[in-house]
Structures are given as C-alpha cells and as structure tokens.
Amino acid sequence: MGAATPVTPAPRRTLTVVRRAAWFGGALFWSAFAVLEAVKHGWAAGLLAFAFLLAPDLTMLIGVREAASAGLVRGRLLPRAVPYYNAVHHPLVPLALMVVYTFGVFVWAPAFAALCGWMAHISYDRAFGYGPRTKEGFQRG
C-alpha cells in the first residue's frame, strides 16, 4: 500500500474556493475596467493596460540563466527574485497608486488603465492559486 494522501478539511477547502471565486470576480471587474478605459481613451490606454497585465511576471526572469544552471525544481523562483516578484504581486501597491492617481494632480487616463491591468493580473494569479512566494522561492500553500 502507498502512503496516504493528506485530506484537506471541508471548511478550509470551502474557504479556498470562496476566496478564489472572489479573486476571479475581481479579475473580471479589473479586466472590464481596463477594456472600458481603453475604449474610452484610445490605443495608449489599451496598450498600457495590456502591458501591465503581463509585466508583473517579468520579475520571474531575474536570474533565469542562473536558476537554470542551479538546477532549481520546476515552479521555484530564484531566491533573489522573490522580493521583486512579491512586491509587484501585492494588491496594495496598485491600489495605493490608484488612490494617489484619483486624488493627485497627475491626470493621464492610460496610467489608470495600466493600474487596472496590473490589478487584473494580480487577481487572476490569486484566483488560479498563485500567490506570494516564500523567501526560498516556493509557492506559499
């Protein structure tokens, strides 16, 4: 007989499903908001929203050559890249920038569209189970 696999208690599983569903709802909201901003304000807003939808994962390229030669297991991030990855994947960063944008004197609609794209990225990641990393570079469970 093989080793028994641990079973996650039902309340914890339910909480995880609810949390991920909420993040997915947020992802759809921020995606729709970014599209609305792009339609309303033109190609620059759409381009920046799309760029910021993709940009946070570029932090995974920090030390990618070094990681390949170090023989890291699949899914593990190089430890020196973790602070950058966690910083750009923390929802308070773009939300704080949205507040500053809303109440500040700087007004350029593509910047707000970019922040919407960034929030959509973070929300999709959390909805699909990708959250902050441990300092060793592993996905937090």
Side-chain angles (χ1 to χ4, degrees), residues 98-126:
M98 283 180 180
V99 169
V100 168
Y101 177 87
T102 302
F103 296 107
V105 294
F106 176 74
V107 178
W108 188 51
F112 190 76
L115 294 172
C116 291
W118 190 359
M119 275 303 300
H121 175 96
I122 293 169
S123 300
Y124 281 118
D125 272 2
R126 299 288 174 94

Side-chain angles (χ1 to χ4, degrees), residues 77-87 133-138:
L77 194 60
L78 194 67
R80 74 181 176 96
V82 170
Y84 303 105
Y85 178 89
N86 285 346
R133 302 285 184 132
T134 65
K135 63 182 174 180
E136 294 82 24
F138 293 106

Side-chain angles (χ1 to χ4, degrees), residues 54-63 77 81-82 84-86 88-89:
L54 302 176
D57 281 343
L58 294 177
T59 56
M60 290 190 290
L61 297 177
I62 296 172
L77 194 60
V82 170
Y84 303 105
Y85 178 89
N86 285 346
V88 298
H89 283 84

Side-chain angles (χ1 to χ4, degrees), residues 5 7 15 63 66 95 120 140:
T5 57
V7 177
L15 181 61
E66 184 181 329
L95 284 175
R140 289 188 185 162

Side-chain angles (χ1 to χ4, degrees), residues 8-57:
T8 306
R12 185 170 176 192
R13 235 177 319 168
T14 303
L15 181 61
T16 299
V17 169
V18 169
R19 185 179 296 127
R20 286 188 179 183
W23 277 110
F24 190 68
L28 294 176
F29 170 81
W30 290 114
S31 296
F33 208 154
V35 168
L36 177 70
E37 289 293 307
V39 168
K40 186 175 180 183
H41 299 289
W43 66 268
L47 184 64
L48 277 176
F50 184 70
F52 274 71
L53 181 68
L54 302 176
D57 281 343

